[in-house]
């Protein structure tokens, strides 16, 4: 069967381009996804790479643009299916979200339940339905999946490993989740950037993270999937883009899609504290203030280490917030003005939680 997505159709040894119909506009016309299919001369895995689901995150788009070249295809075993602009409306308006759906677009992928019909609630939006269709295409052909994002200014470039969920009592499902999670670990190591897990299992549904592209593809479709966060939003740094390309080529070497040994990842900071980690937003300010950061992305921290100094508008020191955890700094959110309760540092903290876990008991009721 020939691999196709929208009007792009795979051809041996070639890069083909096309478009995939996403959302039709009331005034006519349509948002379409740009699609690139690069197929090697030899049969092999199908690697899906997507970017631009949040309209302010542009590094991944450049990674895809520069990664896929005729030289790469001449060495390639298998196929790359790439979509560099998953959220055309958000990208056009430089917003995280699309103006025709108020939800985080990376929380619109299927969760394994069929949508409930409730006359008092709007049915799934056009965008949600479109991502559902796209999910089916990914499920049909993908061996591996990478979704490229950015997190905030000067952050580390890293991967978020999702937890993989299964239904309680479903032994085969649990085994599949464990196998998928193991592949994700190998894939993350092959990529070679800093690694951290996302929230703990219990938080997944709460945060609707199970409906992110990668969690949905890993859990519902059983395909190893990773979210790469390529540092700053908006205009990317060239070093980050190049490190992203090198990481993806290393994933393809791991997957047997490219020959040769892994290439070194250079130009970015890579942190390994020596224990597994997960994300936590910390240094929540107790009062309205300006924050002066005492750490930066990549700083290793221990319990008690100072993270930020709080000052009033005149610069008078109000206090210092210290770390309650061992770990490292992933990023500092944009800006230095904070209201009470807002977190001023994103840490990777020690993670003792399992990487696979059961859905809540009533999830499928
Ligand atoms: Zn994002």
């Amino acid at each position: 069967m020939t691999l196709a997505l929208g009007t792009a159709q795979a051809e041996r040894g070639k890069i083909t381009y096309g478009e995939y119909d996403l959302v039709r506009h009331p005034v006519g016309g349509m948002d379409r996804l740009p699609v690139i299919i690069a197929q090697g001369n030899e049969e092999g895995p199908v690697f899906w790479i997507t970017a631009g689901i949040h309209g302010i995150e542009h590094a991944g788009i450049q990674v895809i643009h520069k990664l896929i070249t005729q030289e790469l295809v001449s060495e390639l075993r298998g196929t790359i299916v790439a979509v560099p602009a998953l959220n055309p409306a958000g990208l056009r308006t430089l917003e995280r979200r699309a103006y025709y759906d108020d939800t985080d677009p990376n929380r619109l992928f299927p969760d394994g339940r069929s949508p409930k019909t409730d006359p008092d609630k709007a049915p799934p939006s056009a965008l949600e339905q479109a991502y559902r269709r796209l999910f089916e295409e990914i499920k049909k052909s993908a061996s591996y999946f990478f979704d490229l994002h950015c997190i905030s200014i000067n952050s580390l470039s890293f991967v978020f490993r999702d937890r993989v969920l299964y239904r309680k009592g479903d032994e085969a499902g649990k085994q599949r989740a464990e196998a998928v999670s193991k592949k994700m670990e190998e894939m993350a190591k092959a990529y070679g950037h800093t690694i951290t897990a996302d929230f703990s299992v219990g938080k997944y549904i709460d945060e609707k993270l199970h409906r992110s592209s990668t969690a949905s593809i890993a859990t519902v479709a059983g395909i190893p999937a990773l979210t790469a966060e390529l540092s700053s939003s908006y205009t990317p740094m060239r070093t980050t883009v190049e490190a992203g390309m090198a990481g993806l080529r290393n994933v393809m070497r791991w997957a047997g899609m490219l020959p040769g040994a892994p290439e070194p990842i250079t130009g970015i900071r890579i942190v390994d504290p020596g224990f597994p980690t997960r994300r936590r937003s910390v240094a929540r300010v107790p009062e309205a203030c300006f924050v002066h950061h005492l750490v930066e992305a990549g700083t290793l921290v221990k319990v008690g280490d100072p993270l930020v100094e709080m000052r009033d508008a005149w610069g008078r020191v109000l206090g210092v917030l210290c770390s309650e955890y061992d770990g490292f700094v992933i990023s500092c959110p944009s800006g230095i003005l904070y209201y009470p309760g807002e977190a001023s540092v994103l840490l990777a903290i020690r993670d003792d939680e399992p990487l696979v876990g059961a859905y809540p008991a009533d999830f499928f009721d």
Side-chain angles (χ1 to χ4, degrees), residues 327-348:
F328 61 87
V329 178
I330 296 173
S331 67
C332 303
S334 299
I336 62 165
L337 283 78
Y338 288 86
Y339 284 95
E342 289 178 337
S344 56
V345 175
L346 180 63
L347 274 191

Side-chain angles (χ1 to χ4, degrees), residues 249-273:
R249 283 192 296 263
N250 281 344
V251 170
M252 288 189 266
R253 291 184 181 106
W254 162 82
M257 297 176 71
L258 285 180
E263 62 193 285
I265 304 295
T266 57
I268 59 163
R269 196 160 175 184
I270 300 162
V271 185
D272 179 2

Side-chain angles (χ1 to χ4, degrees), residues 199 279-284 325 333 342-347 349:
F199 291 107
R279 74 149 118 178
R280 176 153 290 170
S281 294
V282 301
R284 292 188 184 277
Y325 307 96
E342 289 178 337
S344 56
V345 175
L346 180 63
L347 274 191
I349 64 166

Side-chain angles (χ1 to χ4, degrees), residues 52-57 96 104 106 147-151 227-229 233:
I53 199 166
H54 294 129
I56 62 171
E57 301 173 8
R96 272 176 70 82
D104 181 335
N106 201 28
D147 194 22
L148 308 176
H149 291 247
C150 300
I151 193 156
T227 295
E229 299 281 355
S233 294

